[in-house]
Amino acid sequence: MSTWIADRPGHGAVVVSGPDATSFLQSLVSQELDAIVDGGGARSLLLTPQGKLGVTLRMLRVGDEWWLDCDAGFSEQLASTLDRYRIRVDAEIRERTGAWGLLEVRGHEAVARVAAAAHTDVPEGDGAHVAWGELRVVRADWPGREGVDIVGPIDAVRAARDDLLHAGVPAVAPGEYEAARIEAGVPRLGVDLDERTIPQEAFLERDAVSFTKGCFLGQELVCRIDTRGHVNRYLRLLRIPGDEAPEPGADVVVGEKSVGVVTSAAVVPDGGHTVALAMVRREVELPAEAVVRSGGTAIPATVDALPGTD
């Protein structure tokens, strides 16, 4: 399928508003917010005080509000962490998970198809967005794949989905979506990343961290690694011949040495191969021939860089 749509049920949605909303968030998240105007957005992180991942998120400036979205299962953590630091701050934090939806459109005609349905131009630049009634149409490319996200009240998202289906844009099955996500090197929190992950291990510092802003939560570790350190492992892409997908947690072996573990995997439909993401020791030179030990079987694989990171 050249262009398709995918529902993202349960995705996390939090809205922060009020006179102090921007300054409050600026003091906590890893991204520089002061330069983001209405209609702009950016990837960001809410780290733990120790500099490990708390929540990965996208932040959209919508008028005087900030719309935050994150992976399914993490909105409560996002809202509660923000609320914990909301001391003498005039800002309101509202969780919208369940009431709001997210629809992803990917493929080489994604922008044109959404623009035609919404009767508006889709702006360039990751996180840039425009209104479609109650919704926001957000530019959200993946490496090598044009993308648009549609986010807002769930009934309006469903109506937008129907419009795109009626216009001939097909919906993709969950397994096909997962294969496309993995092949594009897009990690999921709670699957490929967790509370032990340092941002640089998954290359998140490239578009989600500002190293020139003032202090933010967990800044010390991230900045220290950037200036004079390194991490000991990286998220990598595995290409596996055939249609045998290894289980998460399977060992990745190079030579006779275990060098990492699989975090997610999916068979590429009609592709004749399987793709996986894995956390792999940094000393492994890429590309590397490997064996994945899963369920008592040894599966050959090639370890390579995530798209856009080599």
Side-chain angles (χ1 to χ4, degrees), residues 41-284:
R43 310 281 175 178
S44 190
L45 309 173
L46 183 61
L47 302 174
T48 68
Q50 294 75 33
K52 304 293 183 66
L53 283 187
V55 182
T56 60
L57 63 148
R58 178 175 55 193
M59 310 184 68
L60 306 179
R61 184 75 176 264
V62 183
D64 295 329
E65 297 181 333
W66 287 94
W67 292 13
L68 318 181
D69 60 70
C70 61
D71 284 320
F74 289 92
S75 61
E76 183 177 346
Q77 179 180 334
L78 174 59
S80 64
T81 301
L82 292 175
D83 192 58
R84 189 182 317 134
Y85 288 96
R86 187 168 58 93
I87 302 171
R88 294 187 294 277
V89 170
D90 190 357
E92 182 180 7
I93 301 166
R94 293 168 287 160
E95 189 174 354
R96 289 289 182 260
T97 304
W100 282 22
L102 172 66
L103 186 71
E104 297 188 12
V105 188
R106 298 288 181 271
H108 72 276
E109 295 181 344
V111 169
R113 291 298 195 103
V114 174
H119 303 289
T120 186
D121 291 332
V122 178
E124 295 186 3
D126 189 58
H129 54 94
V130 294
W132 181 6
E134 301 175 88
L135 303 171
R136 306 306 294 188
V137 173
V138 189
R139 190 64 181 262
D141 295 349
W142 283 353
R145 195 182 292 249
E146 197 174 88
V148 179
D149 287 352
I150 299 168
V151 61
I154 193 164
D155 288 343
V157 170
R158 288 170 177 163
R161 181 182 186 276
D162 290 343
D163 286 346
L164 288 165
L165 288 172
H166 183 72
V169 184
V172 72
E176 293 176 283
Y177 173 86
E178 189 71 352
R181 174 191 73 82
I182 292 170
E183 196 159 35
V186 178
R188 284 176 54 198
L189 187 62
V191 176
D192 307 295
L193 315 172
D194 59 27
E195 70 281 355
R196 299 167 298 174
T197 306
I198 298 169
Q200 283 95 334
E201 292 176 336
F203 306 95
L204 300 177
E205 84 284 1
R206 296 191 174 198
D207 61 3
V209 176
S210 168
F211 292 100
T212 58
K213 68 175 287 185
C215 294
F216 58 87
L217 192 63
Q219 179 190 38
E220 182 179 355
L221 175 64
V222 176
C223 291
R224 185 169 69 246
I225 290 172
D226 183 66
T227 55
R228 59 178 187 274
H230 63 262
V231 292
N232 293 323
R233 58 180 192 163
Y234 290 109
L235 194 66
R236 300 301 194 190
L237 178 66
L238 304 185
R239 298 189 186 276
I240 302 168
D243 58 359
E244 187 175 1
E247 294 291 327
D251 280 341
V252 180
V253 178
V254 173
E256 298 298 322
K257 184 178 180 181
S258 177
V259 296
V261 295
V262 171
T263 58
S264 60
V267 177
V268 177
D270 302 320
H273 68 284
T274 296
V275 289
L277 295 178
M279 276 291 184
V280 176
R281 297 285 302 179
R282 72 181 180 91
E283 60 264 25
V284 175

